[in-house]
Amino acid sequence: MSRTSPRGATRPVRSRVGVVVAAVVLVVLLVLIARSAGGLGGALDVLLGDPQQDAQEAPAGSAVAALDRLPVKGKAPKTGYSREQFGQAWQDVDANGCDTRDDVLARDLTDVVYSRADPCQVSSGVLVDPYTPKQIRFQRGPRSAEVQIDHLVALSDAWQTGAQQWPADKREHFANDPLNLLAVDGPLNSAKGDGDAATWLPPNKDFRCQYVARQIAVKAKYGAWVTQAEHDAMAGVLSTCPHQALPRDDGGVGPQPAATSAPADAATTAPYASCSAAKAAGAAPLHSDDPGWNPRLDRDGDGVACA
């Protein structure tokens, strides 16, 4: 005959007591979290996560969202790299009659003075350097190197993250793309070398979000990839500014501004930025007394441009 152990009969009771105690502890925790999170819904969000909040962490058009889409790979060998692989330096790829270096200087400097002999050539100006930030007076001549044009994504880095496979004309446009170019402090640019975000960031921390956003925009535009270390460094910077927008694709630093209505005669009086724009508008050739005349497009000074 089997016997029922008195001790065995108490096990279900102890088990139920344990469940009750655990439930009480859970309720107490929920109450405490709810008080700090603004209600039971907030407490559940704390415990389980808020899907809507997670979805908002990388808004469309943000640098974070674009970074998430970049391929992550190791760097290819640097074998075969040379500056010449990216074409002749500072070409006039936008056909405005001025080389890329002078275009960037004219864009990034203030108080710009042009050479009398060459209306494209920037003779002097003032740079508020985004990397330091300090004011640097640019004067063409022996001290020109105090202001240099930085490729935000260095040509060597691009070569090792996809550019080896690009056709020559794509590499040439990459090297002259205003989106990837910035007038900066010369010695700092030299110190940066071909470093990516994992090895070099601007000393000016207030500019770092914009800096990596432009690097991401450039790599996304040309189909280059990032290394894991580079990705992590960029993500670390953007964690302080998750809504940082990608820059506009004309070399601007900030997001594309909202369109504004121009005066009725603005379209006819504003100087054409390039011969391509003048030709697209059917205004070429331009004469010195024509609406939209831009003396920078008159390379030979004969009063006729974009012929």
Side-chain angles (χ1 to χ4, degrees):
M1 178 181 296
S2 61
R3 297 181 179 180
T4 302
S5 170
R7 294 181 62 187
T10 65
R11 289 177 183 173
V13 175
R14 290 181 178 178
S15 178
R16 286 194 295 271
V17 170
V19 171
V20 171
V21 171
V24 170
V25 171
L26 179 60
V27 170
V28 171
L29 286 174
L30 282 173
V31 170
L32 293 175
I33 295 174
R35 287 180 178 177
S36 62
L40 182 59
L44 292 175
D45 288 343
V46 170
L47 293 174
L48 304 177
D50 183 356
Q52 291 184 348
Q53 182 177 358
D54 292 342
Q56 294 173 357
E57 289 180 355
S62 69
V64 173
L67 176 61
D68 289 343
R69 294 192 295 268
L70 288 181
V72 178
K73 304 180 186 179
K75 281 191 175 181
K78 196 174 177 179
T79 306
Y81 168 74
S82 68
R83 175 62 180 83
E84 289 70 28
Q85 293 284 0
F86 289 82
Q88 181 180 345
W90 309 135
Q91 296 197 31
D92 179 19
V93 294
D94 61 357
N96 71 344
C98 304
D99 67 45
T100 303
R101 183 173 186 271
D102 278 311
D103 281 340
V104 175
L105 289 172
R107 182 195 69 187
D108 293 349
L109 271 58
T110 60
D111 300 331
V112 173
V113 176
Y114 295 97
S115 167
R116 291 184 179 181
D118 183 351
C120 281
Q121 190 177 83
V122 175
S123 293
S124 63
V126 177
L127 172 70
V128 179
D129 175 41
Y131 288 175
T132 40
K134 63 182 180 182
Q135 282 197 359
I136 305 172
R137 182 164 293 280
F138 170 77
Q139 185 70 49
R140 189 176 294 272
R143 300 178 62 181
S144 290
E146 291 181 2
V147 173
Q148 296 179 14
I149 308 301
D150 181 26
H151 288 91
L152 281 86
V153 176
L155 302 186
S156 172
D157 177 68
W159 181 259
Q160 297 174 83
T161 56
Q164 293 184 33
Q165 309 303 321
W166 300 347
D169 60 340
K170 182 175 179 178
R171 290 198 294 265
E172 182 179 291
H173 277 84
F174 176 88
N176 290 276
D177 190 339
L179 181 64
N180 192 34
L181 299 173
L182 202 61
V184 299
D185 176 84
L188 263 182
N189 184 47
S190 298
K192 170 188 171 181
D194 61 358
D196 59 22
T199 59
W200 192 91
L201 289 169
N204 179 16
K205 293 182 179 180
D206 290 338
F207 187 69
R208 288 182 178 179
C209 287
Q210 297 179 52
Y211 177 80
V212 299
R214 289 187 72 166
Q215 288 185 320
I216 291 167
V218 169
K219 292 212 166 189
K221 178 178 179 179
Y222 287 89
W225 66 79
V226 292
T227 67
Q228 187 64 60
E230 182 182 10
H231 174 280
D232 294 348
M234 289 174 162
V237 171
L238 293 175
S239 67
T240 67
C241 48
H243 293 275
Q244 173 69 46
L246 285 179
R248 57 195 178 201
D249 193 12
D250 62 354
V253 172
Q256 183 70 42
T260 56
S261 299
D265 61 344
T268 60
T269 59
Y272 288 104
S274 67
C275 285
S276 297
K279 291 175 181 178
L286 285 172
H287 297 83
S288 59
D289 56 351
D290 287 342
W293 167 256
N294 185 345
R296 294 185 64 195
L297 305 181
D298 182 11
R299 297 302 300 273
D300 55 8
D302 65 352
V304 180
C306 308

